[in-house]
Amino acid sequence: MADHVYNYVKPVFSSIASLQNQIPNFVDMSSLPSFRQLSKAVSAAVPAALFASGVARGGSPPSCSNPQLSCQNTTVVTDTCCFNAPGGQLLQTQFWDNNPPTGPSDHWTVHGLWPDHCDGSFDQYCDPNRQYTNISSIISAAGRTDLLDYMNTYWKDYQGNDESFWEHEWGKHGTCISTLEPSCYTGYAPQEEVVDYFQKTVDLFKTLDSYAFLSAAGIVPSTTKTYTSAEILAALAKPRGVQVSIQCKNGALDEIWYFFDVRGSVQTGTFVPAEPDGSKSSCSATGVKYLPKTGTPPSTTMTTSTGTPPTSTSTPGGSFSGKGTLPVTTGGKTDGCIISGGTWYTTGTCATFTAAASGSGFTLTSSKGKCAVANNVLTCASTVTAATVFSAVNGKLAYNGNTSFYTSSVPTGSTQASVSVAQQATTLTIGWTAI
């Protein structure tokens, strides 16, 4: 902090010295304060003013000279503080939660900012030592209550747990942005990259008014009218000149993904609209619903802290125990659960599992039998002789320390989906609800 304050007031000192040299000779210098006296006064006043403002001054993000545009390089770029790699294409993703509704009735809400590789693949949970909790406390400690107020309106969890949602987005995606590495900062202050991540996401989101883009093309929420994917995509491409990706659930539009390449760092670089890097839209060609927001908004679970935000949080262990269900979350939303055979089902009743301590973790058993990962697929059956020992990370089921599971697509209706530990098109996590 002392070094940062010195750098902040150094120009003031130089100006004082310069002014003294320009004072006419006829002025009685003995009646004026000395350079040393003025310097001491400034040194005392500036830190007091900084702290009185309530704004925590951190370090400086990387200064990048002639940075390259991510995903457009033909040779390896080694300076990943000024060049986003391997996650070179950044996606600003948005939700339309209609029931229960989140955010204003005439505005989409923030999902996140995701660093994809330039081919549509991606990394996740890249730094277990920066899986921070209580994001709101970190942002408040930085003096960014304006940012937090905006997030409390436009970055909403459909179940009401905004804090948990923010932690998930930072831990899964933010830790994988190379230009946000602490080592990229000069005079780094703990967690300042977290604030930069949320600020940049909000700044981008403010430039991408999806509701207005669609309304300008006559595409408005309706309980009766439907649209074609081509109409929606054209409306969203018009303001930026490049395509987006749209996602649907049960035939209704509920997500938009905007793609950018970045010239320089995420903190200070230029975001250049880009064509999708391989991620495809999931909506049908015709008959796409865009439903108005109805129902009662979820009550928000508030997380507050009067203490100091954490300097680091290692990946928690923890364990499932007793009886409970295994709810599934994908795309930031809880959608169905794991049923007795180990498959994912989005309708009907959740199965009851028994979690029993085993070694450093626990095993799971359903009415079908023991649960194990066999040939990369989660299976619960009487034919399973050796149950897999799982663990829990941040309240999520983990296999070999990884909380990500996969399937080819989100199941609908009476369809069940196999759950795999091998990467596929759809990523999901599995929680635990004790009963």
Side-chain angles (χ1 to χ4, degrees), residues 42-122:
V42 172
S43 297
V46 170
L50 289 174
F51 285 108
S53 70
V55 178
R57 301 286 179 174
S60 301
S63 178
C64 305
S65 178
N66 297 320
Q68 295 188 50
L69 185 63
S70 61
C71 291
Q72 305 302 315
N73 57 307
T74 56
T75 59
V76 175
V77 179
T78 57
D79 183 6
T80 55
C81 288
C82 288
F83 184 83
N84 290 282
Q89 187 158 85
L90 278 293
L91 283 66
Q92 200 290 293
T93 53
Q94 301 183 10
F95 272 139
W96 180 261
D97 293 319
N98 72 294
N99 192 12
T102 61
S105 60
D106 60 350
H107 214 290
W108 286 61
T109 56
V110 183
H111 186 168
L113 182 64
W114 305 346
D116 271 17
H117 296 181
C118 303
D119 60 2
S121 61
F122 58 92

Side-chain angles (χ1 to χ4, degrees), residues 246-316:
I246 57 175
Q247 309 300 319
C248 288
K249 181 179 178 182
N250 297 326
L253 180 66
D254 74 337
E255 280 198 72
I256 299 172
W257 298 353
Y258 293 94
F259 297 76
F260 295 87
D261 295 339
V262 184
R263 191 182 305 280
S265 70
V266 160
Q267 301 94 309
T268 62
T270 301
F271 279 67
V272 179
E275 295 289 343
D277 58 7
S279 302
K280 304 300 182 183
S281 299
S282 68
C283 299
S284 301
T286 60
V288 178
K289 294 176 285 186
Y290 181 22
L291 299 172
K293 294 184 179 183
T294 59
T296 304
S299 58
T300 301
T301 302
M302 299 299 293
T303 302
T304 59
S305 173
T306 56
T308 302
T311 56
S312 67
T313 304
S314 59
T315 304

Side-chain angles (χ1 to χ4, degrees), residues 162-236:
D162 298 344
E163 188 74 39
S164 178
F165 184 24
W166 301 338
E167 291 169 5
H168 168 81
E169 290 302 306
W170 162 253
K172 181 175 181 179
H173 302 291
T175 59
C176 297
I177 298 176
S178 69
T179 58
L180 289 178
E181 285 288 333
S183 59
C184 293
Y185 288 79
T186 300
Y188 172 72
Q191 295 98 38
E192 66 177 297
E193 78 278 20
V194 178
V195 182
D196 284 343
Y197 171 78
F198 286 97
Q199 184 65 65
K200 179 54 66 174
T201 307
V202 164
D203 289 345
L204 285 174
F205 174 76
K206 288 180 177 180
T207 70
L208 300 168
D209 188 344
S210 299
Y211 191 92
F213 295 166
L214 293 169
S215 295
I219 301 172
V220 294
S222 172
T223 57
T224 57
K225 191 173 181 180
T226 62
Y227 306 92
T228 67
S229 286
E231 290 171 334
I232 296 170
L233 289 169
L236 296 170

